[in-house]
Amino acid sequence: MNAETVRLWLDDRLGIGSIAAVARKKEIPVHRHSIWYYFGGMTLFLFSVQVVTGILLLLYYRPSAETAFESVQFIITEVKFGWLIRSVHSWSANLMIATLFIHMFSVYFMSAYRRPREMTWLSGVMLLLLAVAFGFSGYLLPWNKLAFFATKVGTEIAGVIPLVGRPMLRFLRGGDDVTGATLTRFFGFHVAVLPAITTVIIGTHLMLVQMHGMSVPPGLEGQNIKKMKFFPNFFLRDLIGWVLAIGALAALAALFPWELGEKADAFASAPAGIRPEWYFLFMFQTLKLIPPKILSFDGEVIGILAFAVGGLMLFIVPFLDKPGNPRRKRVFTVIGVIVVLYIVALTIIGYLD
Amino acid sequence: MKPKSIAATNAKNRFRAFKLAPLIALLMFATVSAQKKDSCVECHSQMEGALSEAVRLSKGDVHDARGLSCVDCHRGDATKDDMAAAMDRRKGFIGKPKPADLPAFCGRCHSNADFIKTFNPGLRVDQEREYSTSVHGKLLKGGDQKVATCVSCHGSHGVRAINDPLSKVFSLNVAETCGSCHANGEYMKSYNIPHDQFDKYKTSVHAKALYDKQDLSAPTCNDCHGNHGAAPPGLASVANVCGQCHVRQASLFKSNPHKTVFALMQVGECIQCHSNHGIMPPNDEMLGVGDQSACTQCHGQGDSGYAAAEKMKARMDEMSASISRSNDILNRAERAGMEVSKAKFELTEAKDALTQARVMVHTFSTDELDKVINPGLDISNKGYNAGGAALAELSFRRKGLAASLFFILFFAALIYLKVREVEKRQALQKQS
């Protein structure tokens, strides 16, 4: 039995040939903005790192208020290469959020969300929200002091929203306070609920990308653009990035091991200068800067509602931007630049604060 | 309601008020009698100097706050405007009591349990009797008018409760109050006792706790000397006094040979090494044969005590050094990002053992000391090993990283070469 027989046997049953044909046909436009095409793949790669390291952590992690901290401590001190897996999981999570943001903004500035790719954008925004939810739920799992209070503050912010806030807070915490029930609940979200939803949406997102092919920036549309084969040319370049990412993750894990801190203590006072993960920092900082009362409304509520509206706007971007209108396109670019500058500035202020 | 009926109601109300008149009058009388006439205050507040000072000071003091007035102590008749009638000795008037009469003067109420418990059932009533056993009380009985009586410490007018921070006998003020006589060399001259206790006390570990940490449970004069029964503890009872707080040290000392020797030599047990008023924070240097050694006060080179002191000090030093070595390496590992919190936590047990060893010194037995030091050293060494292992692991990680980065970069370079090769081939294919 030679390789060709195996290929034919499999092709009969799985239709590998047609998939290979699609891959062979797929082409990537080559222009001065091509670099941005790599960030989606990088995000996907870091996500798969999360899946693999996450499953490995799952083998030792014990999700209860009494055992969570100790099990993570066990992982990083006793389990062979447990420290590496845990640190890579934490670092990769942060890098993934970063590449996700870059991917999203590059798609935004290149107007790649326009017809017929509206649904691709929608699924992408959903993936952003899911990634943030992964970050928020995963942060609590080591059950350390910082995570405990960050979760307390985070869920409190959710609780401020009028009408739905209170029930939402109780749903998130599994009661009125952050307790062991919150931990098991977040664990459930982090390893079952979110991965299940994410798998479906990533599948949809990738399928849509294959279906519509790569978008070309509006300015270059209609021009005769050079093309590059996805396989093997683009794929091999992707691969170089992924290999280097593995190197970066290994270096970060070995040189800057992710700290575990002190075990959470519900009776201790909140540590000074508590702040959320960097990707929440611009929102956190905004809420801190808003005056407590705006007219007769609660400043914090207004801030949270503003972010909710902002999130909604993000969803409907493709339906607001009409193609073929250069003035509107410019307005969108300006808004995008302002948003990016705002996020960067507030994050920096948040760190210096 | 019609106007007519309003008028009718008003009339009715007026009538009701008229019926209430006797009751109102009664109430007014009651108020007046509550603020009963006090000719002492009326006259003395218009006088000058000390004579009016008493009135001013008494306002709001512990007695005034409980409704007691001048006549409750000084007797006489405060309802009389006439000075002679108000201060009539036949009515029991007592002017300024002589020091010798003061214990009985205050004791009239304070030794009367039936009376005192109507104010404070918890207050003791044996102060007067205790005072008579004190050095102060005995001297007073012998006719010495200079010694402290009730008012010397509590004040005469403006007496405050002992838990009132303004009271002269509040924990933080006691030493100064005692010092107002005992630190006065001129005043103490005739008694032929030292007057440097207050100065020494201020340098002591007890004073540090009391003043710097505001620890009100830290001992001040009366905790060792008693308050009403104030007396220097006799040499035989020093250990009992210190042992009130330092229980473990006292019980260990009791069952060791020094106890008998100290008794024979007639030296105070604890104070022989720790001194009395200027007790310095105890430190390991007091042990052994160094400059600050307490042991060499009696033991000389060549005797067994000298050897034991030397050995005990060596063991203590060994333990301290071991702990600080372990601490250092664990801190180094922690700063490098290694997780050593468990080892650090376990090291606290070694620190506990060191504290315990410092107590065990009071057995003056090297064997007893070893019983505490040896397990402590084991724990400390374990901590050191854990720190060493963490640092070794760190170096392994760095080397491992360097090696794997080499392969990762090599692999990336290979892919890059592959890309170039593929694209060169593709270009050639296109050309042909």
Side-chain angles (χ1 to χ4, degrees):
Chain A
M1 192 161 62
N2 59 21
E4 185 57 22
T5 346
V6 176
R7 196 191 67 75
L8 284 173
W9 190 89
L10 284 176
D11 192 27
D12 273 350
R13 282 146 190 87
L14 299 174
I16 291 173
S18 52
I19 297 172
V22 171
R24 257 197 300 279
K25 226 179 72 192
K26 189 174 160 65
E27 284 181 326
I28 307 291
V30 178
H31 49 77
R32 62 199 173 93
H33 300 303
S34 286
I35 179 82
W36 302 110
Y37 289 135
Y38 292 98
F39 281 92
M42 185 59 95
T43 309
L44 182 64
F45 170 72
L46 292 171
F47 178 75
S48 54
V49 170
Q50 288 309 90
V51 173
V52 174
T53 52
I55 289 170
L56 290 174
L57 290 174
L58 204 50
L59 302 180
Y60 287 95
Y61 178 71
R62 283 173 292 159
S64 82
E66 292 75 33
T67 55
F69 181 85
E70 285 78 5
S71 67
V72 177
Q73 201 170 38
F74 182 77
I75 288 171
I76 61 179
T77 53
E78 307 288 332
V79 178
K80 274 248 181 292
F81 291 105
W83 61 273
L84 182 68
I85 300 300
R86 197 247 164 174
S87 256
V88 166
H89 193 72
S90 307
W91 275 115
S92 172
N94 282 276
L95 293 186
M96 185 184 91
I97 302 262
T99 56
L100 208 161
F101 268 114
I102 295 171
H103 177 53
M104 186 190 81
F105 277 110
S106 64
V107 167
Y108 177 87
F109 286 118
M110 295 199 288
S111 305
Y113 48 74
R114 288 197 284 187
R115 196 184 120 94
R117 297 186 179 82
E118 293 96 330
M119 297 306 282
T120 323
W121 172 264
L122 273 182
S123 58
V125 174
M126 272 189 235
L127 285 173
L128 171 76
L129 297 184
L130 283 167
V132 166
F134 263 119
F136 188 62
S137 57
Y139 194 62
L140 180 67
L141 299 187
W143 199 242
N144 59 26
K145 213 161 151 188
L146 225 55
F148 178 83
F149 285 103
T151 305
K152 221 169 169 164
V153 173
T155 45
E156 232 153 57
I157 288 173
V160 170
I161 303 169
L163 294 174
V164 291
R166 199 66 207 160
M168 204 158 92
L169 174 133
R170 283 182 55 82
F171 167 73
L172 284 173
R173 288 184 176 180
D176 286 319
D177 285 312
V178 176
T179 59
T182 320
L183 177 68
T184 27
R185 179 165 295 235
F186 273 36
F187 175 71
F189 292 148
H190 194 76
V191 304
V193 180
L194 296 175
I197 302 172
T198 307
T199 309
V200 175
I201 298 182
I202 285 190
T204 313
H205 193 71
L206 292 178
M207 197 191 75
L208 289 172
V209 171
Q210 299 317 311
M211 223 162 87
H212 298 302
M214 304 313 268
S215 156
V216 178
L220 300 171
E221 253 172 357
Q223 294 176 24
N224 194 15
I225 301 175
K226 256 177 46 183
K227 297 252 162 89
M228 177 203 286
K229 281 204 163 297
F230 175 78
F231 199 88
N233 303 47
F234 189 81
F235 176 75
L236 283 177
R237 284 182 165 83
D238 249 348
L239 199 60
I240 294 177
W242 298 352
V243 169
L244 292 178
I246 289 181
L249 286 174
L252 287 171
L255 301 177
F256 308 102
W258 204 266
E259 267 186 44
L260 178 58
E262 281 173 61
K263 185 173 175 166
D265 177 4
F267 300 108
S269 49
I274 183 165
R275 58 174 172 227
E277 289 273 71
W278 61 269
Y279 41 87
F280 291 120
L281 207 51
F282 74 96
M283 291 195 258
F284 186 70
Q285 198 61 28
T286 307
L287 293 181
K288 267 171 54 180
L289 290 178
I290 294 177
K293 281 273 173 225
I294 299 175
L295 298 173
S296 61
F297 300 102
D298 195 344
E300 203 179 20
V301 174
I302 290 184
I304 292 163
L305 290 180
F307 278 117
V309 171
L312 205 68
M313 297 298 276
L314 195 61
F315 264 108
I316 58 172
V317 157
F319 310 103
L320 297 174
D321 186 12
K322 289 278 183 299
N325 184 340
R327 192 177 299 155
R328 197 180 278 237
K329 161 79 188 139
R330 211 168 307 128
V331 171
F332 267 74
T333 307
V334 169
I335 292 174
V337 169
I338 291 172
V339 169
V340 171
L341 288 179
Y342 180 81
I343 291 176
V344 171
L346 270 270
T347 306
I348 292 171
I349 292 172
Y351 262 94
L352 298 178
D353 207 5
Chain B
M1 207 183 268
K2 290 173 191 171
K4 195 180 169 189
S5 61
I6 293 173
T9 320
N10 283 349
K12 216 171 166 186
N13 283 349
R14 228 171 287 139
F15 180 66
R16 196 176 288 157
F18 183 68
K19 271 212 297 193
L20 285 173
L23 186 67
I24 292 166
L26 195 71
L27 274 171
M28 280 168 70
F29 176 74
T31 326
V32 169
S33 62
Q35 297 172 334
K36 69 181 170 209
K37 183 171 177 61
D38 197 333
S39 58
C40 316
V41 174
E42 280 171 21
C43 293
H44 276 270
S45 50
Q46 284 159 28
M47 293 176 174
E48 281 184 359
L51 291 170
S52 69
E53 186 80 345
V55 176
R56 198 180 57 77
L57 283 174
S58 298
K59 276 276 158 273
D61 87 344
V62 67
H63 295 128
D64 179 62
R66 282 160 179 72
L68 300 168
S69 61
C70 315
V71 289
D72 290 299
C73 295
H74 294 282
R75 302 287 175 85
D77 189 349
T79 61
K80 296 284 188 295
D81 280 326
D82 177 50
M83 202 167 88
M87 309 205 304
D88 191 346
R89 300 259 170 197
R90 283 169 307 178
K91 284 191 176 170
F93 175 75
I94 306 165
K96 185 181 177 187
K98 290 192 188 69
D101 299 333
L102 268 166
F105 181 81
C106 298
R108 211 167 61 220
C109 295
H110 281 275
S111 300
N112 182 346
D114 284 333
F115 180 70
I116 279 294
K117 72 183 170 197
T118 61
F119 295 97
N120 178 359
L123 203 67
R124 294 172 60 166
V125 288
D126 58 355
Q127 296 99 327
E128 188 187 352
R129 202 151 52 91
E130 268 214 323
Y131 176 77
S132 69
T133 70
S134 73
V135 173
H136 295 143
K138 284 176 182 162
L139 288 173
L140 186 72
K141 215 170 230 173
D144 186 342
Q145 301 283 310
K146 275 172 72 183
V147 294
T149 63
C150 316
V151 297
S152 319
C153 302
H154 294 280
S156 46
H157 302 103
V159 177
R160 291 181 178 270
I162 53 165
N163 53 9
D164 182 337
L166 291 176
S167 163
K168 286 170 76 181
V169 291
F170 182 67
S171 294
L172 290 170
N173 308 330
V174 167
E176 211 155 323
T177 301
C178 298
S180 64
C181 296
H182 282 276
N184 184 338
E186 198 59 40
Y187 198 80
M188 299 311 288
K189 214 178 215 168
S190 53
Y191 299 103
N192 199 25
I193 56 170
H195 55 270
D196 57 354
Q197 303 96 326
F198 185 37
D199 285 336
K200 280 186 171 168
Y201 174 75
K202 279 190 284 193
T203 67
S204 74
V205 65
H206 291 153
K208 272 197 185 81
L210 185 66
Y211 300 131
D212 297 353
K213 297 184 191 159
Q214 296 276 301
D215 177 357
L216 298 183
S217 70
T220 178
C221 314
N222 65 319
D223 291 291
C224 301
H225 294 280
N227 31 29
H228 299 103
L235 283 182
S237 49
V238 165
N240 296 338
V241 171
C242 302
Q244 290 301 314
C245 298
H246 303 281
V247 183
R248 182 108 172 94
Q249 287 88 334
S251 79
L252 290 174
F253 190 85
K254 228 177 253 174
S255 53
N256 96 90
H258 282 88
K259 168 93 179 161
T260 335
V261 179
F262 278 30
L264 280 172
M265 289 168 63
Q266 294 207 318
V267 292
E269 294 180 355
C270 311
I271 57 173
Q272 186 60 34
C273 300
H274 294 281
S275 87
N276 47 9
H277 296 110
I279 298 168
M280 297 302 290
N283 62 63
D284 292 349
E285 295 308 314
M286 287 171 62
L287 193 64
V289 294
D291 295 342
Q292 297 169 46
S293 160
C295 310
T296 51
Q297 285 178 31
C298 302
H299 294 285
Q301 202 156 11
D303 76 14
S304 63
Y306 189 91
E310 217 168 11
K311 193 174 166 200
M312 282 164 80
K313 173 70 166 53
R315 295 250 54 202
M316 295 292 283
D317 284 348
E318 185 187 354
M319 177 114 180
S320 303
S322 169
I323 290 174
S324 84
R325 197 172 67 123
S326 306
N327 221 9
D328 284 350
I329 198 167
L330 285 172
N331 282 338
R332 233 166 68 214
E334 194 177 42
R335 274 197 302 276
M338 299 301 290
E339 165 61 35
V340 287
S341 61
K342 209 167 142 228
K344 279 196 113 176
F345 177 73
E346 281 167 1
L347 193 64
T348 57
E349 261 182 70
K351 288 173 192 159
D352 288 347
L354 182 64
T355 308
Q356 217 188 333
R358 286 177 177 144
V359 176
M360 290 307 282
V361 163
H362 295 92
T363 62
F364 302 95
S365 151
T366 47
D367 290 342
E368 289 298 319
L369 192 64
D370 283 348
K371 277 185 199 162
V372 182
I373 290 214
N374 287 339
L377 272 176
D378 286 346
I379 297 168
S380 172
N381 285 335
K382 238 175 87 184
Y384 182 79
N385 292 339
L391 287 181
E393 167 74 14
L394 187 72
S395 127
F396 166 75
R397 285 182 194 181
R398 297 218 161 130
K399 281 180 198 145
L401 173 68
S404 45
L405 277 186
F406 175 77
F407 284 109
I408 286 167
L409 292 175
F410 181 68
F411 187 46
L414 279 186
I415 303 171
Y416 175 69
L417 291 176
K418 174 78 182 164
V419 171
R420 279 187 53 180
E421 188 250 336
V422 166
E423 287 181 353
K424 204 177 270 172
R425 187 151 36 89
Q426 283 169 348
L428 280 173
Q429 271 171 4
K430 218 177 238 172
Q431 274 176 12
S432 63

